[in-house]
Amino acid sequence: MTNREGAGPPDRRAGADVAVVGGGLAGLAAALTAAAQGLQVIVLRRGFGATAMSSGGLDFPAELPDLYGRASFTAEDVGEAARLLAGWLGGLAGSPGEAMSLLDSAGHVRRTALTFERHAAGRLDGWAGAGGAARALFIGMEGFGTFRPEWAARVAAWRSLVRPGEAAAARVPVPGLEGEAGLAAARVARALEEEGAAERFGTAVGRIAAREKADLVALPPVLGLERADKVYRAVVGAVRDACGGREVVVFELLSPPPSLPGWRLQRLLDEAARRAGVRIVSGRVTRPAEVDGSRSATGSGGAAAVGAGALLSSLEVDSHGRVWTLEARDFVLASGRFAAGGLEARGRTLCEPVFGLTVHAPPPPGWPPRPVPAGSRSVPEMVWDRFRARHPVFDAGLAVDEELRPVDEEGRPVFINLRAAGSVIGGYNHLTDGAGSGVAATTGVRAGRLAAERLGARKPLAGGPGARDPAAAPPAGEGRAES
């Protein structure tokens, strides 16, 4: 799977109103928000992060957990971020705070608040059917061994999602790939996007569903890459036609990460950003610079502590060996946490590798609570013996002020024009709190808006029910990402 990063890095320097470091959900939410208010935005990223690895469901609480620092968010802020995100992605099912139970392709039950309709159609509270006697059919693909429908059917029965004997399994060939073995998910997905392939596949599935008298048809999450909605609609129509028009619920399972649904989510965000005029460039920051006369910062984890209130003017960037300068008036750091490299463990301590910002961590047991915990606690002290424990290390991150500016140990903003968004901010556990996507989108929207306000752009965002943001992507399945 590829997704070309704009037109490549500039030879020497590039400029924008806002520079965003990190191109996942938080970074692109900030970029889209700023771009919608008329600003020029460049997104710099090293590669795909946690967004591209997600299961296809979005953890989106009705209210955000308490983040480190002084920033606060209301339920209305979260709701607005969800509406904007739905506009950028072409529509989502569910609502913030909703506990929608869905099955993934490994047989795990996952609870999510927002997802695409092709997944939400299989929500488990709809499995009871008439009188609790629904019959489920799990479909796999010949040559695609990653998903085992027989196992999924057994797990569904074991979890009492269906009555004993009411879960069936079958495999059908992938049109155009008949007889091939060892098929990858992306190859199957692209094959189903070929002309007429989804209809042929759906007809084959529908014949089995008719024979098994299935009420529910569960499919692995490989129904298309760039035209997933079109493929899904074609499969649903063909299945119902083959069943004589009988109502059959057809849905795509979620996926354990890394996943093709996560890549689709990232692609749609990228596409929305490019349509809004955002430039996405591949590269990593090697040295941040600042304007203050006497202070300067070194980068890549070796950044020296700088005085509060410095002004960033540019970043030195390495794009595959080509070094250039990125200049901007406002900056957003949305580099993620550990998976994306936004925080790193070096020796026994945690560091923020781009700007050398203070990393805050939960205080040890018995210490009096502080508004902003100091970051002197070592990594081994924050990892418990039990694997499934809530490890304090995953609450670590930056602390921010009211304008989302990262602060030092004294609570002072380090740079007056640098904001943080997403999981690089500490105070919650993105693995256990069920808030990751909500934090990313809500803080991203806030960061983009604050940057626009500082720069004098105050164009209101469209975010009401049914409204589409000017930077919104077309409905999913319409158009292709650059490849």
Side-chain angles (χ1 to χ4, degrees):
M1 296 179 287
T2 60
N3 207 359
R4 185 166 60 87
E5 303 288 4
D11 290 332
R12 294 180 180 271
R13 62 181 58 242
D17 295 313
V18 180
V20 180
V21 179
L25 175 52
L28 291 177
L32 281 158
T33 302
Q37 299 183 72
L39 298 178
Q40 292 183 327
V41 184
I42 289 181
V43 171
L44 177 71
R45 67 180 174 204
R46 295 192 299 179
F48 294 132
T51 301
M53 294 188 289
S54 63
S55 68
L58 298 171
D59 297 326
F60 224 99
E63 296 184 358
L64 297 192
D66 292 331
L67 306 178
Y68 285 161
R70 299 189 295 273
S72 62
F73 299 88
T74 66
E76 288 73 21
D77 295 327
V78 177
E80 179 197 28
R83 290 191 294 272
L84 289 170
L85 180 60
W88 297 328
L89 296 177
L92 291 169
S95 60
E98 185 172 351
M100 189 189 316
S101 295
L102 303 171
L103 199 63
D104 72 14
S105 57
H108 301 129
V109 175
R110 295 178 177 268
R111 287 175 175 80
T112 189
L114 299 173
T115 189
F116 292 102
E117 182 57 42
R118 55 183 170 270
H119 302 301
R123 54 189 304 160
L124 297 183
D125 57 10
W127 279 41
R135 182 167 176 79
L137 172 63
F138 292 83
I139 292 290
M141 281 85 160
E142 293 177 4
F144 178 57
T146 303
F147 175 63
R148 298 169 55 199
E150 302 84 4
W151 166 259
R154 287 197 295 270
V155 170
W158 173 73
R159 293 186 181 279
S160 299
L161 300 177
V162 292
R163 292 180 177 178
E166 296 298 319
R171 295 175 186 266
V172 299
V174 180
L177 301 179
E178 294 87 350
E180 294 193 30
L183 296 175
R187 184 129 190 264
V188 173
R190 291 197 183 280
L192 290 174
E193 290 182 336
E194 295 296 326
E195 186 67 31
E199 290 80 2
R200 296 197 301 275
F201 174 77
T203 298
V205 171
R207 289 170 180 162
I208 300 173
R211 184 186 70 210
E212 297 290 341
K213 299 180 180 179
D215 303 295
L216 307 164
V217 176
L219 300 169
V222 292
L223 301 185
L225 277 175
E226 297 170 357
R227 297 180 228 163
D229 274 13
K230 181 179 180 180
V231 171
Y232 173 67
R233 291 193 298 268
V235 170
V236 169
V239 168
R240 291 178 179 170
D241 287 345
C243 290
R246 181 170 62 89
E247 186 70 22
V248 179
V249 177
V250 181
F251 61 94
E252 193 180 59
L253 298 163
L254 291 180
S255 173
S259 73
L260 190 145
W263 187 89
R264 292 178 190 146
L265 175 63
Q266 182 71 63
R267 184 198 67 81
L268 288 171
L269 287 169
D270 287 358
E271 187 176 79
R274 290 193 176 99
R275 287 171 59 87
V278 174
R279 184 177 180 186
I280 302 176
V281 180
S282 176
R284 64 182 182 87
V285 177
T286 59
R287 184 172 62 87
E290 56 175 308
V291 175
D292 198 294
S294 61
R295 292 189 294 260
S296 63
T298 59
S300 297
V306 296
L311 180 71
L312 277 171
S313 62
S314 63
L315 305 173
E316 185 178 277
V317 178
D318 184 334
S319 293
H320 310 291
R322 180 184 297 174
V323 178
W324 54 283
T325 300
L326 172 57
E327 299 176 339
R329 295 191 289 158
D330 216 88
F331 297 80
V332 176
L333 179 64
S335 50
R337 208 170 277 185
F338 299 110
L343 298 182
E344 295 181 355
R346 295 190 177 179
R348 296 173 62 87
T349 60
L350 296 175
C351 72
E352 186 282 308
V354 175
F355 299 99
L357 301 168
T358 301
V359 177
H360 300 264
W367 280 27
R370 296 180 56 187
V372 179
S376 58
R377 195 172 176 189
S378 71
V379 173
E381 290 180 299
M382 294 188 289
V383 179
W384 305 141
D385 292 334
R386 290 191 302 112
F387 175 77
R388 298 180 69 86
R390 182 188 174 109
H391 304 284
V393 69
F394 295 120
D395 287 69
L398 306 180
V400 295
D401 69 1
E402 296 88 344
E403 296 187 20
L404 294 182
R405 297 176 299 190
V407 300
D408 60 17
E409 292 195 19
E410 302 302 321
R412 302 172 302 176
V414 180
F415 298 103
I416 64 174
N417 61 337
L418 172 67
R419 305 167 205 288
S423 61
V424 73
I425 304 174
Y428 75 103
N429 189 318
H430 64 292
L431 298 176
T432 61
D433 287 349
S437 300
V439 170
T442 307
T443 58
V445 169
R446 173 76 63 84
R449 177 175 287 126
L450 287 169
E453 289 178 355
R454 176 181 172 272
L455 300 179
R458 297 175 180 271
K459 180 180 177 182
L461 286 173
R468 290 184 61 83
D469 187 85
E478 295 183 12
R480 292 176 174 266
E482 295 177 288
S483 59

